[in-house]
Amino acid sequence: MIEQLQQGTVEWGRATFALTALYHFLFVPLTLGLSFIIAFMESMYVKTGNDEWKKITKFWMKLFGINFAIGVATGLILEFEFGTHWANYSWLVGDIFGAPLAIEGLFAFFLEATFFAVMFFGWDRVSKGFHLFSTWVVAVGSNLSAFWILVANGWMQNPVGTHFNPDTMRNEMLSFLEVALSPTAIDKFAHTTAAGFIVSSLFVMGISAWFILKKRNLRLSRVSIVTASTFGLLATMFIILTGDKSAHDVAHTQPAKLAAMEALYDGDSGVGITAIGYLNPNKKLGDKEPEFIGPTVELPFALSLLSFHDFNAYIPGMNDLVYGNKERGVMSASERIEKGKKAIEDLRSYKKAKESGDKLAADAYLASFRENEKHFGYGFLKNPEEIIPPVGITFYSFHLMVGLGFYLLVLFAVVLHFSMIHALENQKWLLWIVFLSFPLGWVATEAGWIVAEVGRQPWAIQDMLPVSIASTIIDTGSVIAAFFLFAALFTILAIAELGIMIAQIRKFREEDHV
Amino acid sequence: MFNQLDMLTLQMYWWVIVSLLAGLLVFMFFVQGGQTLLWQIGRTEEEKTMIVNSLGRKWELGYTTLVLFGGAMFAAFPLFYSVSFGGAFWVWLSILFSFSIQAVAYEFRKKPNNFLGAKGYETFLLINGILGVILIGTAVATMFSGANFERGEFNFSIWKHPLRGLEAAFNLFNVLLGIALFFLARTMGAMYFLNNIDDEVIRERSRKEVGINFAAFLPVFLIFAVWLLLRSGVDTSSTMPAMQPYKYALSLVQMPAVAILLLTGVAIVLYGVYATWFQNSKNGLWFTGPGAVLTVFSVLLLAGLNHASFYPSNADIKSSLTIQNASSSRFTLVTMSYVSLFVPVVLGYIAIVWRAMDSKKITREEGQNPDSSAY
């Protein structure tokens, strides 16, 4: 049955998921962060009773609502795509993966859906206090929903708390707490929500800077820029810390991803980081070509230090992972593939023996299967080289993300400094930089997702399930048609959203609103 | 406490939850029904805006119920998620399309520079109201009429029909349920306007629509119900699944509690309409809605309980899905059962917020007030 899976179906299924996820994540970060910024502003309104704060709150809330709608639309598609495009995946790991999705729906989405209505229609229907409470609930609910979906994603990167049940032929959950509180999941949550706060801060700062440059809505812009740069600075410091934790986690659970992120072909002790470099496009696994062309900027020992908190730690390179390194105890991919194939065979024999009532043989096959179980997923791979994700895109996305992270740290700090000494409005150059930097938060977060997901290839579930068998068994034509339908829908919605946002920002005059 | 339950009881518990969610989803279809009445009840721009603002504070609840229904199915019966969503690819994608356009329609409709114009987004609402509801009805009906799939090694499934699920829309039995739901949704939509909008003109038109749409709903639903009771269904009480004549009628006899629930549900639906039509009540929705929940709930119980197959395979009867062979592991079911204890909490806060928001009805005057009319 697996033979009926077409390679094109898998590739187009991946493209569809990537399209939906990248698109979805244009809107989610704003929901995650803007909701808290608005909640803070409304708290100030309730505390001071000053209508200026209400005006500011309502302006940002309007933009929040426009953005929220489109995040909801794409979120629904993402959830169901696991079923429509990744049917085999849904069965093989649904026992674990379905739970956080259902919990997200019950615990988070209903909070958002219920209290969102109060936020937008409740100003004169409920008390000030209840309205403020609703705004906070929406902020918490959005971030709670991020938590559960990132638990699900974290589990794909590092499948803990689970085992393969040979009787049902699928993976089953052993410990809910291990899944929900896995360090990978917690890191992901911390890193991703912080990214959302940064994107939102840049969004608020960018629009405010534009207002100041246009000499309009100055009161709103001053307040907003101070709030956002403080929020952004804290979030950037936090994201750098969580990034360090993520690197540590990837080093332990996804060595091939780490090697690709750093274009590390040959492993060593005391490995540094190539902070800036141009990859040699002719470099292949196993050859002696140089990794980079031209000058590079190196940070010595940095990778070992970040990954294992030890200057001299050994980090396996891609060649070690593919071809093995006996001295360092790294098993080659071909050996793992062999063991994986053996596990699959044992599983088939176990099933047959069980059906024919031969308990003794069944037990023996099962014991043999358990020996090789951790290599099971490798049995579905064809070539050892497949275990390495695309290096170029992983490397450049990672470096772009990190570089932007440090740039934004400086930007937030400088803007906050000039705001605090009330000198921002005279620094036209800075206002222009802020305005032009406003898409960079999105660039960094999307690059981060590319590192996480492309860097995970060829696995849908790390070491357990390759994407090549996770897909739905369906003709490639249907998946291609669906891809273009989605692409068309998303493009139309994006044009609409952008147009509406720009119009709302342009027409806003703080004098006109209460 | 769930730890002590045996596997079958847990599976039944989860089928009950899923059926309840389906019932609540159908109740929330009053939003979709209301969307299809936009032009009939709202004849001026002002009236349309009142209707959109009225539905606009409720649509997310229905949408979220759909998401939760999917999530609960995934967590409790992952094999259904895999077989049906992947197999009936085009039906589910069409449903997704019709709901994702709903999500933007309310927010974008009246905003300047919205690319498609107000008419474009109103068309989105109409598509969602018609196509979304009819297709979901059609897909749910396949839980009785079956689908074309086969399960193989690792429980990977293959769909045996080139239309990938759209073939269900060419089966009269399935379409009847879709159409019945469509008219029920419109009936409830009109009832919601009666309850939520304080305006004589809109109330007059809404009351009329309740009558018209219920008159259309009743015969279609009755034909579907009789057909359901007369049809055979897969029975899995012996080792080999087999077709059993009058499966669902027998189930009603063997599970009298479900029969009572079903009749009670139908009676409450009827009372809601009676109260609206003959007693001029504005609260018909509070009967017809919960009545619809009970009715759908008990119909879906028939699909999953009493050794029935809740997703029969017409291509290979052995591949049919039951609550036993499609469910999650015991561990996951127990864990999720504890999670399910929060369902009443969620329903509770929804009810509180609903009351708080609806205590002041929508009027023509408030359209001018930016604090109460967001769309």
Side-chain angles (χ1 to χ4, degrees):
Chain A
M1 193 151 295
I2 296 171
E3 300 72 48
Q4 300 195 31
L5 264 174
Q6 298 165 6
Q7 191 56 29
T9 300
V10 177
E11 296 306 329
W12 281 98
R14 283 185 58 204
T16 311
F17 204 88
L19 174 81
T20 320
L22 288 175
Y23 189 79
H24 183 58
F25 220 74
L26 290 175
F27 309 101
V28 172
L30 267 193
T31 309
L32 296 179
L34 204 50
S35 56
F36 276 119
I37 295 179
I38 293 168
F40 169 77
M41 290 168 167
E42 193 181 336
S43 302
M44 293 303 289
Y45 162 60
V46 172
K47 191 166 166 246
T48 61
N50 183 346
D51 272 343
E52 283 294 317
W53 278 110
K54 184 177 179 188
K55 209 184 291 178
I56 298 171
T57 306
K58 287 191 78 172
F59 171 70
W60 295 113
M61 203 178 265
K62 193 163 229 171
L63 301 187
F64 174 82
I66 296 163
N67 172 76
F68 188 82
I70 202 158
V72 170
T74 46
L76 176 82
I77 295 179
L78 265 186
E79 178 191 347
F80 284 88
E81 254 179 45
F82 286 112
T84 53
H85 287 71
W86 303 98
N88 293 349
Y89 170 95
S90 294
W91 165 245
L92 284 173
V93 300
D95 192 63
I96 306 114
F97 196 81
L101 256 65
I103 295 174
E104 182 187 17
L106 184 65
F107 283 178
F109 288 157
F110 274 109
L111 280 180
E112 292 179 71
T114 310
F115 290 95
F116 183 88
V118 183
M119 254 173 106
F120 282 84
F121 298 94
W123 287 104
D124 67 344
R125 279 188 158 75
V126 298
S127 69
K128 262 188 189 178
F130 188 68
H131 193 279
L132 176 65
F133 170 76
S134 304
T135 308
W136 277 103
V137 170
V138 169
V140 172
S142 323
N143 284 272
L144 201 59
S145 112
F147 175 74
W148 287 109
I149 195 65
L150 291 165
V151 163
N153 183 271
W155 184 80
M156 295 168 79
Q157 315 279 349
N158 180 17
V160 290
T162 175
H163 80 148
F164 190 85
N165 181 342
D167 296 317
T168 51
M169 301 290 265
R170 64 169 174 192
N171 296 285
E172 294 181 354
M173 186 156 36
L174 289 178
S175 162
F176 178 71
L177 284 183
E178 255 188 76
V179 173
L181 301 177
S182 133
T184 312
I186 304 288
D187 286 348
K188 274 212 160 288
F189 171 65
H191 201 66
T192 311
T193 45
F197 297 170
I198 293 173
V199 171
S200 307
S201 303
L202 277 174
F203 177 80
V204 172
M205 271 175 33
I207 293 169
S208 305
W210 184 77
F211 280 152
I212 297 176
L213 285 167
K214 291 271 161 191
K215 301 205 181 334
R216 75 172 75 133
N217 307 320
L218 291 177
R219 286 193 306 272
L220 173 137
S221 303
R222 278 181 207 128
V223 169
S224 299
I225 240 172
V226 175
T227 311
S229 56
T230 312
F231 199 56
L233 184 64
L234 292 173
T236 317
M237 292 196 279
F238 183 66
I239 210 167
I240 291 172
L241 285 177
T242 57
D244 168 62
K245 285 203 65 153
S246 294
H248 187 69
D249 188 64
V250 168
H252 286 82
T253 55
Q254 299 176 298
K257 182 194 270 182
L258 183 76
M261 278 156 66
E262 283 304 332
L264 180 67
Y265 281 84
D266 297 302
D268 206 346
S269 303
V271 181
I273 285 178
T274 310
I276 301 173
Y278 176 66
L279 289 175
N280 177 358
N282 298 320
K283 172 77 183 162
K284 302 232 162 27
L285 283 168
D287 69 11
K288 293 286 169 212
E289 293 275 316
E291 286 87 349
F292 296 95
I293 296 177
T296 56
V297 177
E298 292 262 357
L299 305 171
F301 301 105
L303 193 60
S304 290
L305 183 66
L306 278 177
S307 307
F308 293 95
H309 299 163
D310 169 4
F311 280 106
N312 279 316
Y314 170 74
I315 314 250
M318 290 178 267
N319 287 328
D320 305 288
L321 293 164
V322 172
Y323 305 113
N325 185 333
K326 285 222 170 85
E327 273 169 51
R328 298 287 189 169
V330 182
M331 192 186 283
S332 72
S334 40
E335 199 179 332
R336 298 195 76 172
I337 290 175
E338 256 172 53
K339 285 178 187 284
K341 289 198 189 306
K342 174 89 172 53
I344 295 172
E345 267 322 299
D346 284 337
L347 195 62
R348 286 200 175 114
S349 310
Y350 164 77
K351 215 179 154 202
K352 268 192 205 136
K354 208 180 115 196
E355 275 162 12
S356 62
D358 187 349
K359 192 171 176 315
L360 218 60
D363 286 349
Y365 284 124
L366 186 59
S368 169
F369 167 75
R370 291 290 181 211
E371 260 174 48
N372 294 315
E373 186 183 350
K374 64 172 184 244
H375 308 291
F376 182 62
Y378 285 80
F380 297 104
L381 299 179
K382 292 191 180 74
N383 308 306
E385 289 79 8
E386 276 178 58
I387 69 156
I388 301 300
V391 180
I393 185 168
T394 312
F395 175 87
Y396 287 121
S397 303
F398 177 64
H399 285 72
L400 184 63
M401 174 188 76
V402 174
L404 285 174
F406 284 102
Y407 163 72
L408 293 175
L409 180 73
V410 175
L411 184 69
F412 285 127
V414 172
V415 171
L416 184 60
H417 167 75
F418 280 106
S419 299
M420 298 307 276
I421 60 168
H422 304 291
L424 186 67
E425 281 154 55
N426 306 325
Q427 318 298 323
K428 274 206 165 174
W429 60 276
L430 182 58
L431 291 168
W432 273 110
I433 291 179
V434 171
F435 175 63
L436 294 174
S437 296
F438 125 76
L440 296 181
W442 276 283
V443 174
T445 44
E446 299 283 356
W449 274 113
I450 290 171
V451 177
E453 304 304 295
V454 174
R456 172 165 53 82
Q457 297 308 315
W459 304 107
I461 313 285
Q462 184 70 35
D463 290 353
M464 191 190 264
L465 179 68
V467 288
S468 56
I469 59 161
S471 161
T472 302
I473 300 173
I474 186 170
D475 61 290
T476 308
S478 292
V479 184
I480 295 178
F483 175 89
F484 284 105
L485 277 174
F486 279 131
L489 176 72
F490 294 163
T491 310
I492 290 171
L493 296 186
I495 294 172
E497 143 125 6
L498 207 61
I500 294 171
M501 280 268 192
I502 292 172
Q504 291 292 329
I505 295 164
R506 281 214 164 131
K507 74 166 198 185
F508 181 79
R509 296 287 184 279
E510 59 189 354
E511 313 70 74
D512 305 345
H513 291 73
V514 183
Chain B
M1 80 196 175
F2 289 105
N3 290 315
Q4 270 97 51
L5 299 179
D6 64 65
M7 188 65 180
L8 182 60
T9 312
L10 282 167
Q11 288 158 334
M12 286 166 62
Y13 175 75
W14 269 95
W15 188 255
V16 168
I17 300 249
V18 164
S19 304
L20 182 64
L21 286 175
L24 290 170
L25 179 64
V26 169
F27 179 13
M28 292 308 300
F29 277 169
F30 76 77
V31 173
Q32 273 69 25
Q35 286 167 192
T36 64
L37 291 166
L38 182 59
W39 282 272
Q40 281 150 303
I41 295 183
R43 302 207 182 136
T44 64
E45 252 335 281
E46 184 187 40
E47 287 162 2
K48 271 201 227 166
T49 296
M50 286 162 78
I51 287 176
V52 169
N53 274 289
S54 169
L55 293 171
R57 61 200 64 187
K58 296 292 179 332
W59 73 267
E60 280 194 68
L61 290 175
Y63 194 90
T64 308
T65 311
L66 176 66
V67 173
L68 184 60
F69 177 77
M73 268 292 189
F74 200 177
F77 301 102
L79 192 54
F80 173 79
Y81 207 80
S82 162
V83 169
S84 177
F85 287 66
F89 187 81
W90 282 115
V91 165
W92 290 111
L93 282 195
S94 309
I95 291 171
L96 290 183
F97 264 94
S98 78
F99 276 84
S100 54
I101 56 178
Q102 182 206 24
V104 294
Y106 285 99
E107 188 67 45
F108 288 7
R109 187 182 75 105
K110 275 288 180 187
K111 299 273 191 305
N113 203 18
N114 64 6
F115 186 50
L116 300 175
K119 279 238 160 56
Y121 295 100
E122 284 164 13
T123 313
F124 279 4
L125 292 178
L126 189 67
I127 293 174
N128 171 245
I130 299 173
L131 202 66
V133 172
I134 293 182
L135 282 180
I136 285 188
T138 308
V140 168
T142 61
M143 292 184 157
F144 300 99
S145 63
N148 301 291
F149 63 90
E150 229 177 67
R151 288 189 285 135
E153 193 185 17
F154 291 106
N155 263 328
F156 291 167
S157 57
I158 290 188
W159 200 260
K160 293 295 208 183
H161 198 286
L163 287 178
R164 298 291 304 201
L166 286 180
E167 70 275 12
F170 297 101
N171 172 320
L172 184 61
F173 175 79
N174 299 340
V175 174
L176 278 176
L177 183 60
I179 293 176
L181 281 187
F182 171 71
F183 285 116
L184 177 65
R186 281 170 64 90
T187 307
M188 292 190 300
M191 285 174 166
Y192 172 71
F193 297 143
L194 272 171
N195 185 266
N196 192 247
I197 301 177
D198 187 12
D199 186 83
E200 258 329 296
V201 180
I202 288 184
R203 284 218 167 113
E204 197 44 50
R205 288 182 200 144
S206 299
R207 185 162 285 118
K208 207 173 117 206
E209 289 298 336
V210 169
I212 296 172
N213 284 287
F214 189 74
F217 160 75
L218 199 59
V220 182
F221 176 71
L222 286 178
I223 298 171
F224 171 81
V226 171
W227 194 339
L228 177 66
L229 295 179
L230 294 179
R231 75 178 303 145
S232 316
V234 174
D235 182 78
T236 59
S237 49
S238 55
T239 40
M240 281 301 282
M243 290 307 280
Q244 185 180 35
Y246 306 110
K247 169 72 193 162
Y248 303 106
L250 277 173
S251 283
L252 273 184
V253 176
Q254 285 156 1
M255 300 188 292
V258 177
I260 293 169
L261 273 180
L262 179 62
L263 291 175
T264 315
V266 173
I268 302 177
V269 168
L270 287 171
Y271 178 75
V273 177
Y274 170 82
T276 308
W277 194 246
F278 293 102
Q279 299 178 326
N280 246 350
S281 168
K282 293 170 197 158
N283 292 319
L285 182 69
W286 297 119
F287 295 96
T288 300
V293 175
L294 273 188
T295 310
V296 174
F297 174 61
S298 34
V299 169
L300 274 194
L301 289 183
L302 291 180
L305 303 185
N306 202 29
H307 308 289
S309 157
F310 75 85
Y311 204 45
S313 168
N314 296 332
D316 167 37
I317 194 168
K318 291 195 303 303
S319 293
S320 300
L321 303 190
T322 66
I323 58 170
Q324 285 170 287
N325 66 20
S327 92
S328 279
S329 67
R330 186 184 161 75
F331 182 86
T332 299
L333 288 181
V334 169
T335 307
M336 291 308 294
S337 297
Y338 284 108
V339 171
S340 74
L341 294 177
F342 284 87
V343 171
V345 177
V346 172
L347 290 175
Y349 73 67
I350 291 175
I352 292 171
V353 169
W354 189 309
R355 271 181 74 96
M357 293 292 289
D358 282 29
S359 56
K360 194 171 156 195
K361 304 294 174 192
I362 290 173
T363 58
R364 278 180 200 259
E365 293 72 45
E366 77 167 21
Q368 317 305 322
N369 177 2
D371 265 357
S372 37
S373 182
Y375 299 148

